[in-house]
Amino acid sequence: MTVTPTPAEVRQSEVGRARRRKEDARLVTGQTRWTDNIQAPGLLHIAFLRSPMAHARITRVDVSAAREMPGVVAAFSGADFGAEQGSLPCAWPVTEDIVIPDHPPMATETVRYVGEAVACVVATDRYRAADALEAIEIDYEPLPPVLDLEKALDADSPLVHDAGNRAYTWTLSNGDVEAAFRDAPVVISRTFRQQRLIPAAMEPRAVVVTPLGDEYTVHTSTQIPHILRFLLASVTGVPEHRLRVIAPDVGGGFGSKLQCTAEEVLCLLAAKRLGRPVKWTESRSEGNLTVHHGRDQLQRVQIAAEADGRLRGMKIDLLADMGAYLMLVTPGIPLLGAFMYNGVYKMAAYDFRCTGVFTTKMPTDAYRGAGRPEATFAIERLMDELAAEIGVDPVEVRRRNWITHGEFPYDTVAGLTYDSGDYEAATEKALQLFGYDKLRAEQKDRRDRGDTVQLGIGISTYTEMCGLAPSRVLGQLGNASGGWEQADVRVLPTGKVEVATGATPHGQGHVTAWSQIAADALGVPFEDVSVVYGDTAVVPRGWDTYGSRSLAIGGVAVHLACEKVKEKARRVAAHLMEIDPGDLEYAEGAFRVRGAPAEQGRSIQELAAAVFNAHDMPEGIEPRLDSSATFDPANFSFPHGTHLCAVEVDTETGFTKIRSYVAVDDVGTVVNPLIVDGQVHGGIAQGIGQALYEEAVHDAEGNLLTTTLADYLVPSAADLPAFVTGRTETPATSNPLGVKGVGEAGTIASTPAVVNGIVDALRHLGVRDVQMPCTPERVWRAIGGAS
Amino acid sequence: MIPARFDYAQPTSLPQAVSVLSDAGEDAKVLAGGQSLLPLLRMRLAYPSVLVDVGCVSELRGVRDEGDHLFVGAMTTQHDLVRDPLIREHCPLVSLTAATVADPAVRHRGTIGGSLAHADPAGDLPSVAVALDMVFVTRSPREERRIAAADFFLDYLESALETDEILVGLEIPKLGPGWTYHYEKFHRTAQAWAIVGAAVAVRRADGHIAEARIGLTNMAPVPVRASSVEAAVAGAAIDDDVLRRACATADEGTSPASDLHATPEYRRHLARVLTRRALATAARA
């Protein structure tokens, strides 16, 4: 007789369930390990004096008066640290002749941006440290600031570094671009400015360095504890095995905490000199000045097309603002865009050139999307301009050019192989959810009536390369890092499961998602899985979290490690049951003889206990029910989707209101729909931030004017509509779970959708572009309000 | 973002507060809700020697009906301005405007007295104060003063308050029946400061605007009345074109600043548009 299990007994798959996040209660209440919550006996506080000049020679530093202030334990200038402070690392020399200037964590001879650290005070509390900063005397001999990307390359420009203001020029070319443009029926040329952005993670950066003999524990609000450990070792000379780096809970990063910062190095050096623990927590204004900035590119872009809108080729000429120095991956950021300017489209020829330029501003580096939002913005804006030029609907011009579902895998003109995708399905679904035709009708009606408020529809059909990445490809691109990820899975004696991941979260929900993956692979309850991370003493290996890589690399590693644990458990079970391992099947968390009832099998819990006491182990099996796995995919993952944005533009004031927003994303297999929605919502909000609100503004002397959140505007929920999200699921072929990254997708897609919407609302008034952020005044001026 | 050292006093009565403030000398500052002062301290843009926290002074709290006006204690929070039944009934422009200030967290701490004494022309309540001709009741060791709104705001962040003088409360005239109100605030994000704002009270009669009072936010170093528009709309029909013509001079006599969010030219344009919209909304309410 066969017994059919009742539905309640059939284990529901965890992958795909909208599990609420295990980690949220402690994160949102703050009852957790933020770095600033870390205390240590005898803790000292460090405060940094920062350059008020964008470019100057330091002629005198006198910290002696600060040393006499109450509560002050020490005060240091850059010269005091001398050679010991080394040079902050750049791990991505993109060309052989790239200029990588020396970058002392604390300036010694010359300051090159406002905010650069020039001295520090270590005191018994933060107040005394801050007071003592005012007693430090510094004389500067001003040098001319270098602020304009184009003028910086002029022969007579003042120099940021003696080797010149050009850091590198990197090119990529495929096909005959000149032929594509020669006699092309349609050529569209535009210059877009990707304004400089300030990553505004909710948690400011903080560092606590605790010495114990010659060993140092570095708590820091970082995305990259593993990478940072060897970087700190190489910069300061403290041996790697004497350094333990802990990223406790981290409140957001968006790339800004993918860095080896001056403050991390200087806190370590101060703790080393003083033999006492040292803490630093930045203020928001300090962060706006000195967290590495994002974007800041001048894009000169051209497409050539047939009369019916089919693309022939594309030319991209970029100037990318490096800022004053090359930080961890500064020069490589525009390259991540180089492979994405063609977007989801087919074309025969492509030419890309990027010059990295030094200026006397805070260095730029990774910021959510890193190169890909810039590229996607350019192509998606151009596709709308092309549609207008040839007089077809912007959706139609995309249909005529995109890679069709049947053409995958597809080798793109930029040299990537897109493994999978279904642009038709995502677009159809988005149009339906959006009510596209109805909105177009309303738009026409408002135009006809000459309504004060005009409606615009912006579309963005994006894809992106993420899940960084195949180690081999990173090597080919000159990036010093690897791209694999590691997981350890341990079945504890009681049968509970501990997952140690090298992919360190900073808010993404790894604990929940990894629990779901492990629960499915091992057949154990979701609640029985815990996840440890972020501590190099607990998880020694990993490449951490950035580039939407965690799930597609680190999550897959968890899955593979579980499979290895299961194979080990199979051999133990077979031994105990005196049967051939091949005759066992694993289901519902137990090994049993094929076809036999579950209760006659051995559960993973029983096997864990048996392995723990090791009374009866098979030959050659160590008494540990655990395993490690690394995963290094053969290809990136390529999420894609279609975003549609309806904006209402008040033509009297220039104010833009987002009326509705639909995002249909294809991120492959979805592990947790709640987490995916959260990532998409946050990503869209951040992309809207670039489109409408955010811009780091400097004055003519190079002072940052947007040092507070009253000046640097970021959107809040009150400024945004309720996002409508939908999904299609086309599994990735580059990993066994079929998953793709989702962390950056929303940001990449949304910026052009919003700006396309604004231009669409105003095109009949002669508007062809609006510089980001599209502030009310800029929109008003674009309409001609000023005339 | 660490303030420099200061002393802290917490008087529990008005006479005590006046005496403490007076004894503390010129570099003392009164702390109300702290929503403007604390950021200045944290950025070390202000170095007061003593903070006199008036949060426990009961005489500064409460809203009373005093016949032809309400008395609103200086420590009344913006949240209470939004909710208070007397204010909602007799001075609804104050409630409407307070509801647009920053966000709920700020409104629960920020006070009407602190906001007005700070004298920031970008604040929302100062333009209401001049539009409604509020009277500022103050106390110093020498005297109790009643200062007209038109005389209170002297310059950017500068008021008629002497350094030893405490703002006790506001007398807010009841305009009486027949008046309707609107505050038209233009800002880039929900929590951002007004780029420009127009606070409007309108008295209707016979389907026309009989009388209007208009205060402008952020169009000069101090809040200003749009007097020429007030004159132009007296007796005007409630009609968009009529109002548009009347509001063409809304920026007359203003001297708006240039900052990250707007140029003076744009602010002047906004003043015209927002004044018209505020008048139209109020007149059709």
Side-chain angles (χ1 to χ4, degrees):
Chain A
M1 188 181 91
T2 49
V3 179
T4 310
T6 63
E9 289 171 309
V10 177
R11 193 176 174 287
Q12 192 185 345
S13 168
E14 279 294 338
V15 167
R17 278 183 81 171
R19 282 281 192 186
R20 291 176 69 174
R21 296 183 4 156
K22 286 180 171 183
E23 53 272 66
D24 277 355
R26 63 188 168 86
L27 292 179
V28 299
T29 59
Q31 303 294 307
T32 195
R33 309 167 301 158
W34 304 121
T35 298
D36 191 46
N37 290 346
I38 304 291
Q39 294 296 334
L43 183 66
L44 299 172
H45 296 261
I46 192 165
F48 295 99
L49 187 67
R50 299 186 177 281
S51 170
M53 321 270 294
H55 197 192
R57 214 178 313 285
I58 301 172
T59 54
R60 186 178 74 100
V61 184
D62 184 352
V63 299
S64 55
R67 288 184 177 135
E68 303 307 314
M69 297 277 285
V72 171
V73 175
F76 302 108
S77 67
D80 291 333
F81 288 117
E84 191 187 2
Q85 64 171 337
S87 181
L88 294 175
C90 173
W92 200 343
V94 296
T95 60
E96 283 184 6
D97 64 346
I98 187 172
V99 175
I100 301 183
D102 190 45
H103 187 186
M106 185 173 281
T108 52
E109 293 165 7
T110 306
V111 290
R112 294 187 174 86
Y113 63 92
V114 172
E116 192 168 0
V118 289
C120 66
V121 169
V122 187
T124 50
D125 67 50
R126 281 187 87 181
Y127 295 86
R128 286 168 155 161
D131 287 345
L133 289 185
E134 298 184 359
I136 295 173
E137 292 177 27
I138 301 207
D139 293 338
Y140 297 98
E141 186 185 298
L143 296 169
V146 180
L147 303 171
D148 184 278
L149 262 183
E150 290 175 283
K151 288 182 192 153
L153 293 176
D154 289 349
D156 59 350
S157 169
L159 296 181
V160 182
H161 298 281
D162 292 343
N165 292 340
R166 193 186 67 91
Y168 68 87
T169 297
W170 189 91
T171 58
L172 174 69
S173 199
N174 188 16
D176 189 342
V177 174
E178 294 318 314
F181 276 77
R182 201 179 309 128
D183 309 324
V186 184
V187 172
I188 295 177
S189 306
R190 287 285 186 278
T191 299
F192 298 125
R193 177 82 205 211
Q194 297 286 330
Q195 78 270 32
R196 178 175 279 247
L197 299 179
I198 300 176
M202 199 172 286
E203 184 207 15
R205 292 175 302 164
V207 185
V208 179
V209 180
T210 311
L212 179 67
D214 68 346
E215 188 181 304
Y216 300 90
T217 299
V218 180
H219 282 88
T220 179
S221 175
T222 184
Q223 297 173 218
I224 54 162
H226 298 95
I227 299 172
L228 187 61
R229 185 189 193 199
F230 64 74
L231 292 176
L232 284 175
S234 62
V235 171
T236 66
V238 176
E240 187 180 0
H241 65 305
R242 304 280 80 196
L243 279 171
R244 175 182 179 185
V245 178
I246 302 174
D249 286 317
V250 177
F254 312 114
S256 73
K257 295 173 183 172
L258 165 55
Q259 195 54 268
C260 175
T261 68
E263 293 82 2
E264 286 164 333
V265 171
L266 295 168
C267 285
L268 173 57
L269 294 180
K272 191 176 167 214
R273 293 231 173 162
L274 301 171
R276 290 178 64 179
V278 170
K279 177 190 271 190
W280 171 71
T281 300
E282 75 182 354
S283 70
R284 179 62 64 184
S285 297
E286 198 176 19
N288 277 16
L289 278 173
T290 62
V291 165
H292 72 239
H293 293 173
R295 316 281 191 261
D296 210 343
Q297 297 178 359
L298 189 69
Q299 306 172 299
R300 290 175 287 226
V301 294
Q302 280 187 293
I303 48 173
E306 306 294 350
D308 65 0
R310 280 178 298 121
L311 291 167
R312 295 166 61 127
M314 178 170 211
K315 285 194 251 190
I316 308 294
D317 184 7
L318 282 192
L319 296 181
D321 192 338
M322 305 283 101
Y325 302 96
L326 302 183
M327 295 194 73
L328 192 56
V329 289
T330 300
I333 299 303
L335 275 59
L336 291 173
F339 301 97
M340 301 278 34
Y341 276 89
N342 50 306
V344 298
Y345 311 112
K346 296 176 282 192
M347 64 187 82
Y350 176 56
D351 191 72
F352 175 92
R353 161 184 293 265
C354 172
T355 296
V357 181
F358 290 114
T359 59
T360 53
K361 295 181 189 172
M362 181 67 209
T364 56
D365 207 318
Y367 176 58
R368 202 170 189 174
R372 291 151 291 166
E374 297 94 314
T376 305
F377 179 89
I379 181 65
E380 289 305 301
R381 282 285 299 112
L382 286 172
M383 291 307 278
D384 260 35
E385 295 305 304
L386 175 60
E389 182 72 26
I390 63 168
V392 304
D393 187 279
V395 177
E396 176 56 25
V397 84
R398 286 167 169 83
R399 276 197 191 105
R400 289 179 190 176
N401 281 289
W402 68 36
I403 302 155
T404 61
H405 184 52
E407 290 175 296
F408 288 95
Y410 184 86
D411 294 332
T412 74
V413 73
L416 296 178
T417 302
Y418 293 176
D419 65 324
S420 65
D422 191 341
Y423 308 144
E424 299 92 325
T427 302
E428 263 324 300
K429 191 163 187 175
L431 292 171
Q432 207 170 31
L433 287 170
F434 190 64
Y436 187 80
D437 295 337
K438 204 171 157 195
L439 283 165
R440 281 281 178 222
E442 179 182 336
Q443 176 183 44
K444 180 173 184 308
D445 179 57
R446 284 182 188 243
R447 279 189 187 178
D448 292 347
R449 282 190 287 120
D451 196 341
T452 305
V453 177
Q454 287 292 315
L455 183 70
I457 295 171
I459 181 168
S460 165
T461 49
Y462 79 99
T463 187
E464 59 135 339
M465 58 189 275
C466 71
L468 304 176
S471 301
R472 179 183 48 85
V473 177
L474 291 176
Q476 287 165 355
L477 292 172
N479 186 325
S481 68
W484 49 264
E485 195 48 86
Q486 148 124 2
D488 300 278
V489 172
R490 309 189 266 265
V491 184
L492 304 177
T494 58
K496 306 293 186 194
V497 176
E498 192 167 69
V499 174
T501 177
T504 307
H506 47 283
Q508 292 85 354
H510 293 29
V511 171
T512 304
W514 283 202
S515 294
Q516 291 178 273
I517 291 169
D520 267 7
L522 296 174
V524 299
F526 171 74
E527 294 76 14
D528 282 3
V529 184
S530 74
V531 180
V532 296
Y533 55 83
D535 180 343
T536 58
V538 173
V539 189
R541 282 155 49 84
W543 281 105
D544 304 312
T545 291
Y546 46 86
S548 305
R549 68 187 302 274
S550 290
L551 178 60
I553 322 293
V556 172
V558 171
H559 172 77
L560 296 177
C562 288
E563 293 299 320
K564 286 167 84 172
V565 166
K566 251 168 28 189
E567 282 317 298
K568 198 167 177 181
R570 174 192 297 274
R571 290 182 60 187
V572 176
H575 175 74
L576 294 175
M577 296 165 76
E578 297 178 345
I579 192 172
D580 188 273
D583 293 336
L584 291 175
E585 66 176 3
Y586 190 75
E588 310 295 311
F591 280 103
R592 61 187 178 200
V593 178
R594 276 181 209 289
E599 55 272 22
Q600 286 174 14
R602 299 292 171 111
S603 73
I604 194 87
Q605 289 85 358
E606 287 174 89
L607 294 169
V611 167
F612 186 54
N613 63 31
H615 293 170
D616 183 13
M617 292 288 288
E619 201 63 33
I621 299 281
E622 291 180 346
R624 297 181 300 157
L625 198 45
D626 60 10
S627 199
S628 298
T630 57
F631 182 60
D632 196 342
N635 196 357
F636 300 98
S637 84
F638 298 96
H640 70 82
T642 297
H643 286 213
L644 287 161
C645 176
V647 299
E648 292 181 351
V649 181
D650 182 335
T651 56
E652 272 190 315
T653 64
F655 188 84
T656 299
K657 178 187 160 195
I658 297 179
R659 177 161 125 182
S660 63
Y661 196 103
V662 168
V664 174
D665 294 287
D666 192 320
V667 297
T669 306
V670 170
V671 173
N672 184 321
L674 269 185
I675 292 179
V676 168
D677 268 351
Q679 286 283 6
V680 170
H681 282 213
I684 294 170
Q686 225 155 348
I688 290 172
Q690 176 171 11
L692 295 181
Y693 304 116
E694 301 184 32
E695 181 171 30
V697 182
H698 295 80
D699 69 12
E701 280 75 49
N703 296 297
L704 182 71
L705 300 178
T706 49
T707 57
T708 74
L709 292 177
D711 308 308
Y712 188 84
L713 296 186
V714 295
S716 71
D719 303 300
L720 303 167
F723 302 128
V724 176
T725 59
R727 271 187 287 281
T728 55
E729 281 198 29
T730 312
T733 62
S734 52
N735 67 70
L737 295 179
V739 296
K740 311 173 188 172
V742 66
E744 297 159 295
T747 308
I748 291 167
S750 61
T751 308
V754 175
V755 179
N756 276 343
I758 293 171
V759 175
D760 184 58
L762 306 173
R763 191 174 292 280
H764 66 295
L765 302 175
V767 174
R768 295 292 174 267
D769 195 26
V770 179
Q771 163 65 44
M772 292 189 293
C774 303
T775 64
E777 180 160 0
R778 281 188 180 142
V779 172
W780 174 69
R781 287 184 184 279
I783 299 168
S787 59
Chain B
M1 298 300 262
I2 298 288
R5 184 187 166 83
F6 56 84
D7 288 327
Y8 174 81
Q10 194 182 51
T12 53
S13 71
L14 184 55
Q16 197 191 358
V18 170
S19 129
V20 167
L21 183 63
S22 167
D23 294 348
E26 284 202 349
D27 294 331
K29 286 292 279 184
V30 174
L31 173 67
Q35 298 306 292
S36 303
L37 182 56
L38 291 191
L40 292 179
L41 261 60
R42 290 166 63 86
M43 290 191 275
R44 296 200 173 206
L45 295 172
Y47 288 80
S49 54
V50 186
L51 283 193
V52 181
D53 181 351
V54 294
C56 293
V57 177
S58 56
E59 294 96 319
L60 304 185
R61 295 190 173 271
V63 178
R64 297 191 298 274
D65 191 332
E66 297 189 334
D68 63 350
H69 64 263
L70 296 182
F71 176 84
V72 177
M75 285 301 288
T76 306
T77 64
Q78 288 143 354
H79 174 78
D80 287 338
L81 298 177
V82 177
R83 297 292 185 89
D84 186 89
L86 282 172
I87 299 175
R88 290 171 72 101
E89 180 182 350
H90 298 292
C91 309
L93 182 58
V94 176
S95 301
L96 288 174
T97 304
T100 72
V101 173
D103 55 41
V106 169
R107 293 197 291 270
H108 274 85
R109 289 217 173 251
T111 64
I112 185 169
S115 163
L116 294 174
H118 187 53
D120 186 340
D124 301 298
L125 291 169
S127 56
V128 175
V130 299
L132 297 182
D133 288 325
M134 291 186 194
V135 174
F136 291 63
V137 180
T138 71
R139 182 80 70 84
S140 72
R142 296 173 304 285
E143 59 182 339
E144 181 175 309
R145 284 208 288 168
R146 294 174 71 260
I147 308 169
D151 301 326
F152 183 79
F153 300 101
L154 302 182
D155 205 340
Y156 178 72
L157 302 187
E158 198 181 324
S159 78
L161 285 173
E162 302 289 341
T163 53
D164 61 353
E165 196 171 22
I166 289 176
L167 178 59
V168 179
L170 287 307
E171 291 176 5
I172 309 181
K174 296 178 184 172
L175 294 186
W179 286 82
T180 50
Y181 307 90
H182 187 68
Y183 183 60
E184 187 79 19
K185 179 173 181 172
F186 190 85
H187 48 166
R188 288 179 56 198
T189 61
Q191 295 168 19
W193 295 94
I195 292 176
V196 176
V200 161
V202 167
R203 185 167 64 79
R204 282 177 304 202
D206 307 326
H208 283 65
I209 294 174
E211 192 181 347
R213 293 156 164 261
I214 303 162
L216 295 178
T217 299
N218 218 6
M219 285 299 292
V222 295
V224 291
R225 288 280 282 267
S227 312
S228 66
V229 180
E230 291 179 3
V233 295
I238 304 170
D239 173 273
D240 284 339
D241 287 332
V242 171
L243 293 178
R244 190 184 308 275
R245 282 194 296 276
C247 291
T249 60
D251 61 316
E252 198 176 275
T254 65
S255 48
S258 181
D259 61 25
L260 283 173
H261 304 301
T263 60
E265 181 190 19
Y266 181 57
R267 281 202 162 91
R268 287 176 182 278
H269 167 74
L270 285 178
R272 296 188 286 267
V273 173
L274 302 180
T275 302
R276 186 192 83 233
R277 290 183 178 182
L279 282 168
T281 305
R284 289 173 180 139

